[in-house]
Amino acid sequence: MLMMMMITFLIIMISNLLMFISMLISKKSFLDREKCSPFECGFDPKNSARIPFSLHFFLITVIFLIFDVEIALIFPYILTFKFINFIMWSFMVSFFLIILLLGLYHEWNQNMLNWTN
């Protein structure tokens, strides 16, 4: 048990050290105007390099990713069907699907699924 705690402590210390080193290395200087501007053949840019994007499109993609991951989490339920009893399996699958449907209902109520507002 002591060995496991020491290994856990060592892993935490190494990961914290690596995060600290990467934070030190990745510091960027915002003082130089040339480094902050986008490169356009050496000339000053004519318009902003930060083009606006649709926040609604971004939220739709996040919802898609969440449900895509949820489908990947459903696949192991098929494999566990043989190894556990049917009542426990059906309870787990029903609970998981109810949580998914509640999330979908919440997003529908918030009008997140309507493309045009």
Side-chain angles (χ1 to χ4, degrees), residues 53-65:
F53 67 97
S54 171
L55 183 63
H56 192 72
F57 180 75
F58 174 73
L59 291 174
I60 292 288
T61 57
V62 168
I63 290 170
F64 170 75
L65 286 175

Side-chain angles (χ1 to χ4, degrees), residues 20-75:
F20 180 72
I21 289 172
S22 69
M23 195 170 62
L24 286 177
I25 292 173
S26 70
K27 290 291 183 187
K28 293 185 175 139
S29 165
F30 292 108
L31 302 176
D32 191 10
R33 181 179 164 269
E34 293 299 321
K35 286 185 180 179
C36 291
S37 66
F39 179 75
E40 283 191 20
C41 302
F43 300 105
D44 287 334
K46 293 183 179 179
N47 54 11
S48 175
R50 308 279 186 243
I51 58 172
F53 67 97
S54 171
L55 183 63
H56 192 72
F57 180 75
F58 174 73
L59 291 174
I60 292 288
T61 57
V62 168
I63 290 170
F64 170 75
L65 286 175
I66 289 171
F67 281 102
D68 194 38
V69 169
E70 300 298 335
I71 289 174
L73 291 174
I74 288 175
F75 284 139

Side-chain angles (χ1 to χ4, degrees), residues 35-115:
K35 286 185 180 179
C36 291
S37 66
F39 179 75
E40 283 191 20
C41 302
F43 300 105
D44 287 334
K46 293 183 179 179
N47 54 11
S48 175
R50 308 279 186 243
I51 58 172
F53 67 97
S54 171
L55 183 63
H56 192 72
F57 180 75
F58 174 73
L59 291 174
I60 292 288
T61 57
V62 168
I63 290 170
F64 170 75
L65 286 175
I66 289 171
F67 281 102
D68 194 38
V69 169
E70 300 298 335
I71 289 174
L73 291 174
I74 288 175
F75 284 139
Y77 282 129
I78 298 169
L79 298 175
T80 62
F81 181 70
K82 291 187 217 175
F83 303 115
I84 60 176
N85 64 8
F86 179 72
I87 295 171
M88 186 59 122
W89 183 84
S90 61
F91 175 73
M92 286 190 320
V93 171
S94 300
F95 183 70
F96 189 75
L97 290 177
I98 286 171
I99 290 175
L100 272 179
L101 290 174
L102 285 175
L104 181 64
Y105 177 73
H106 176 70
E107 290 166 359
W108 195 353
N109 265 353
Q110 298 294 319
N111 289 331
M112 295 300 298
L113 301 177
N114 294 338
W115 186 252

